[in-house]
Amino acid sequence: MNKKRLRQWMVPLATATLMLNTGYGVWGGTDALVSRAVASSAAPAEVSNLTAVPLDTSRVNLSWTNPLDINFDHVKVIGVSNDVYVDNIRSNSYTLAGLRPDTTYTFQVKTVNKSGDDSQGTTVQARTASTDTPADKTPPGEVSGLSVTNLGYNAFTVNYIMPKDADLSQAIIYLNGREVQRTTGTSYTFSGLIASTNYNVLIKTMDKTGNISAGTSTAVTTPALTVDTVPEVTGASVTSVNNYSVTVSWTRPSEISTVSLYRDGTLITDSTGTSYTFNNLSSGTSYSFTIKSKRSTGALSSGVRLTATTNSTSSNSSEVSNLRVDSKGDTWIKINYDKPSSAEKVKIYVDNDYKGTTSSESYRISNLREGRWYEIKVVTVNSSGRESSGVKVSERTDGYSSSSSSSSYSSNYEKASDLMRIAENTLNASDWRSARDAISDLPSGSGKNNLLDRLEAIRNRAIGTGSSSSGTSSNTLTSSTTSPNYNNGVAAYSTSFTLTPGSRSAYIDGRATTIAQAPRIINGVTMVPLRFIGEHVGYQVNYEKAGKKIILNRPDDGKQVVLQVKNSTLAVFELNNSRNYSTNITAPVIVNGSTLVPLRVISELSGYQVNYNAASKQITIKK
């Protein structure tokens, strides 16, 4: 049979899934298979437990377990010729009809996320029954030992023993008559239930021919919801206040081992200690701190609230100034800085790990990895042993090269892309570092550069709180309540910003966040952090160290803006409009590793309305 007639024969089978091998040859050839092998870097995970069970001479039942990705949307089946046979399957099974008897089929199932990105797909084979073979009509045995454990007001687990039938395929689990899962496992947990409610669990078995048993059932009643009154901490007080930090202490109730700590309503960390220092605060600023007792179940108390105002200071004299990267290599970075007269020595931290102490004004950090971003913090220590909050700068060691094969690169790139997506979704420091390590091991290329740009976009949101505690703490990326979606390092457009000179607290579209560098008023000009705003209005921000140039590109409209540190010329290139112009501005400056530009630049960048209210001392930027 030629290909044309085969395709004509396939038309009535549009409800069937993909047939890669029908016994007449491979439809589409290996080139078509290879073209489908490269999935979108944003594709969801594959289905698992994919099985194909022949029901008779013309039908096959496919079943699977959908992935748990939050971005997963539906399942579809793709033909080698790129035809979609079945789309928008939102269940975990599908019966294919109109197949040929005694024929081996290979079925492929792909997952699709909410953005329409496909996975590579998972395949399984099955052979339809022969017309000469009597159909198996005997269902398998039932499960035994059905029991309920972990019974709670909104969840419970059922356990059971599968029968010993040689042709057993899987168990089908129902709740109140509705199928919820097909599985080869021996337990299942129901969640999201209602307290004080009667439920009926039914478990049927299915063999490889598709015969289904009558099932074994049990009744379950969830208990009533009880309110857990968690006892509060006692003796809560503010024990120390500095320019940039506040220390609080408390006494835990005897039955409580952990407390949750909040600053201005935002969870900062959990601690098993009895004191905690909130660092990286702004001077002369009032803060609210809440301490909530936390049970092992996750239940929280209402909390004890404390307030404190950090000490005011006219300058950051206790910190080093002019912190900069002097030089670097594949495995080392050398930094220089100006040490204040009040400091006896400085401590060096890399990614919050202590590296060393020195009294000089330079330090060479060794034993680093190639092509990796590092956050370096310099903390001053005075003669009394008092430490400052620290000043940070970030730098990447020189590039990494590899002679790895193409297949090895593809596998490593997919792994790095997966870790990058996790870091973007969680904004968690440990996830960020996992992505960084995987990306740094990739050979140089555009794919690696794109991942590094996205990694840098997260890095610029400042890792952790830099806090210290007598207990343990978790490290997260400081962020607003809703995480932005990045595309090669460009954040989704934001429509409004509210900033205050001297304060790292800000608002994006009404959501509270913390920025790496506070705005400043320098010589009567209000200067704001360029990267923070630029990336939120659609720009990719790059810095050329040699010429101290800041280059911003917006892919949406082809606009490019070029600035230079200590240079009062702003150049704008509107590529899609074939229009170029330049204007004079107050020269950009670098403060603690961040580039500050005058407010006027922001309006030039994006057409936003910019205003500084002298009475409220707030900067508003609106579309």
Side-chain angles (χ1 to χ4, degrees), residues 3 15 19 37 64 74 84 165 195 225 229 258 261 306 367 371 419 429 431 513 565 600:
K3 292 183 178 178
T15 59
M19 292 173 282
W64 58 85
H74 68 273
V84 179
D165 298 57
L225 175 62
T229 304
T258 304
L261 300 167
L306 302 170
N367 300 321
L419 293 172
D431 291 338
T513 188
V565 176
R600 178 181 174 188

Side-chain angles (χ1 to χ4, degrees), residues 226-530:
T226 58
V227 178
D228 182 9
T229 304
V230 183
E232 302 287 2
V233 301
T234 57
S237 63
V238 175
T239 56
S240 176
V241 177
N242 295 311
N243 293 339
Y244 309 105
S245 65
V246 172
T247 300
V248 298
S249 63
W250 61 88
T251 299
R252 295 192 310 271
S254 58
E255 67 270 37
I256 298 297
S257 60
T258 304
V259 299
S260 294
L261 300 167
Y262 297 77
R263 184 191 68 212
D264 292 336
T266 299
L267 175 65
I268 301 301
T269 188
D270 286 345
S271 173
T272 58
T274 57
S275 67
Y276 185 85
T277 298
F278 294 87
N279 284 318
N280 295 335
L281 306 181
S282 299
S283 62
T285 303
S286 296
Y287 291 94
S288 170
F289 307 100
T290 304
I291 308 168
K292 295 185 178 183
S293 300
K294 184 177 183 179
R295 291 199 192 278
S296 59
T297 59
L300 294 169
S301 68
S302 299
V304 176
R305 184 173 178 269
L306 302 170
T307 59
T309 301
T310 52
N311 298 333
S312 298
T313 178
S314 58
S315 66
N316 194 17
S317 59
S318 63
E319 303 283 7
V320 300
S321 59
N322 198 24
L323 174 60
R324 60 205 179 276
V325 174
D326 175 79
S327 54
K328 62 177 181 174
D330 290 347
T331 60
W332 58 273
I333 296 173
K334 182 182 178 183
I335 56 173
N336 293 337
Y337 44 84
D338 297 331
K339 183 163 62 74
S341 58
S342 59
E344 184 179 78
K345 55 188 176 182
V346 300
K347 291 183 176 181
I348 310 297
Y349 294 83
V350 176
D351 289 343
N352 287 333
D353 294 330
Y354 172 74
K355 287 297 181 181
T357 301
T358 180
S359 58
S360 70
E361 294 189 327
S362 65
Y363 193 87
R364 191 176 190 270
I365 305 165
S366 304
N367 300 321
L368 304 178
R369 288 184 58 177
E370 299 174 77
R372 178 196 283 187
W373 276 107
Y374 289 95
E375 183 183 69
I376 303 166
K377 182 169 70 171
V378 181
V379 176
T380 59
V381 184
N382 64 18
S383 58
S384 301
R386 191 183 190 88
E387 298 184 4
S388 69
S389 300
V391 178
K392 298 177 182 179
V393 66
S394 295
E395 186 56 80
R396 185 168 64 197
T397 51
D398 285 343
Y400 176 89
S401 61
S402 171
S403 58
S404 59
S405 67
S406 174
S407 61
S408 175
Y409 171 81
S410 176
S411 174
N412 291 338
Y413 179 81
E414 289 178 4
K415 175 184 177 182
S417 298
D418 289 341
L419 293 172
M420 183 72 255
R421 287 194 298 273
I422 292 172
E424 288 174 331
N425 288 333
T426 65
L427 290 180
N428 179 277
S430 62
D431 291 338
W432 182 89
R433 292 186 179 116
S434 295
R436 176 194 63 187
D437 292 349
I439 295 170
S440 66
D441 286 341
L442 293 174
S444 299
S446 60
K448 177 178 181 177
N449 291 337
N450 288 339
L451 290 177
L452 287 173
D453 287 341
R454 293 165 63 185
L455 190 70
E456 184 181 3
I458 300 178
R459 175 183 61 82
N460 288 320
R461 298 178 65 82
I463 297 177
T465 59
S467 55
S468 60
S469 171
S470 58
T472 60
S473 64
S474 61
N475 198 20
T476 58
L477 291 173
T478 303
S479 67
S480 58
T481 303
T482 303
S483 304
N485 295 317
Y486 292 94
N487 180 13
N488 293 334
V490 180
Y493 280 32
S494 299
T495 58
S496 68
F497 306 81
T498 303
L499 305 94
T500 305
S503 173
R504 293 176 59 227
S505 297
Y507 291 86
I508 306 175
D509 295 334
R511 300 186 303 271
T513 188
T514 302
I515 55 181
Q517 174 60 47
R520 291 190 175 189
I521 298 178
I522 301 176
N523 298 327
V525 177
T526 303
M527 309 288 282
V528 294
L530 174 63

Side-chain angles (χ1 to χ4, degrees), residues 68-311:
L68 298 177
D69 298 36
I70 192 172
N71 203 26
F72 168 75
D73 188 70
H74 68 273
V75 162
K76 72 177 181 180
V77 180
I78 302 294
V80 173
S81 62
N82 229 12
D83 295 329
V84 179
Y85 284 92
V86 185
D87 202 349
N88 291 318
I89 304 175
R90 301 183 184 275
S91 64
N92 51 15
S93 66
Y94 193 85
T95 297
L96 311 160
L99 306 181
R100 294 172 63 88
D102 197 21
T103 304
T104 299
Y105 292 94
T106 299
F107 305 103
Q108 185 179 40
V109 176
K110 291 191 174 188
T111 57
V112 184
N113 66 18
K114 294 176 182 177
S115 300
D117 300 309
D118 297 356
S119 70
Q120 291 185 4
T122 303
T123 59
V124 67
Q125 284 190 334
R127 188 177 186 87
T128 52
S130 171
T131 55
D132 299 329
T133 303
D136 177 11
K137 301 295 184 180
T138 304
E142 303 289 1
V143 301
S144 59
L146 180 58
S147 62
V148 177
T149 58
N150 302 323
L151 179 59
Y153 74 90
N154 65 347
F156 62 82
T157 300
V158 291
N159 305 280
Y160 49 88
I161 301 171
M162 295 284 273
K164 301 296 185 181
D165 298 57
D167 63 343
L168 181 68
S169 172
Q170 58 192 325
I172 308 175
I173 301 176
Y174 299 81
L175 184 67
N176 290 348
R178 181 178 63 87
E179 180 183 333
V180 295
Q181 184 68 33
R182 296 192 178 198
T183 177
T184 58
T186 58
S187 68
Y188 184 79
T189 298
F190 298 92
S191 59
L193 307 179
I194 301 172
S196 301
T197 302
N198 297 324
Y199 291 95
N200 181 268
V201 177
L202 174 66
I203 302 180
K204 298 181 180 181
T205 57
M206 184 172 75
D207 61 23
K208 294 178 181 178
T209 308
N211 298 306
I212 299 176
S213 70
T216 301
S217 64
T218 185
V220 183
T221 301
T222 52
L225 175 62
T226 58
V227 178
D228 182 9
T229 304
V230 183
E232 302 287 2
V233 301
T234 57
S237 63
V238 175
T239 56
S240 176
V241 177
N242 295 311
N243 293 339
Y244 309 105
S245 65
V246 172
T247 300
V248 298
S249 63
W250 61 88
T251 299
R252 295 192 310 271
S254 58
E255 67 270 37
I256 298 297
S257 60
T258 304
V259 299
S260 294
L261 300 167
Y262 297 77
R263 184 191 68 212
D264 292 336
T266 299
L267 175 65
I268 301 301
T269 188
D270 286 345
S271 173
T272 58
T274 57
S275 67
Y276 185 85
T277 298
F278 294 87
N279 284 318
N280 295 335
L281 306 181
S282 299
S283 62
T285 303
S286 296
Y287 291 94
S288 170
F289 307 100
T290 304
I291 308 168
K292 295 185 178 183
S293 300
K294 184 177 183 179
R295 291 199 192 278
S296 59
T297 59
L300 294 169
S301 68
S302 299
V304 176
R305 184 173 178 269
L306 302 170
T307 59
T309 301
T310 52
N311 298 333

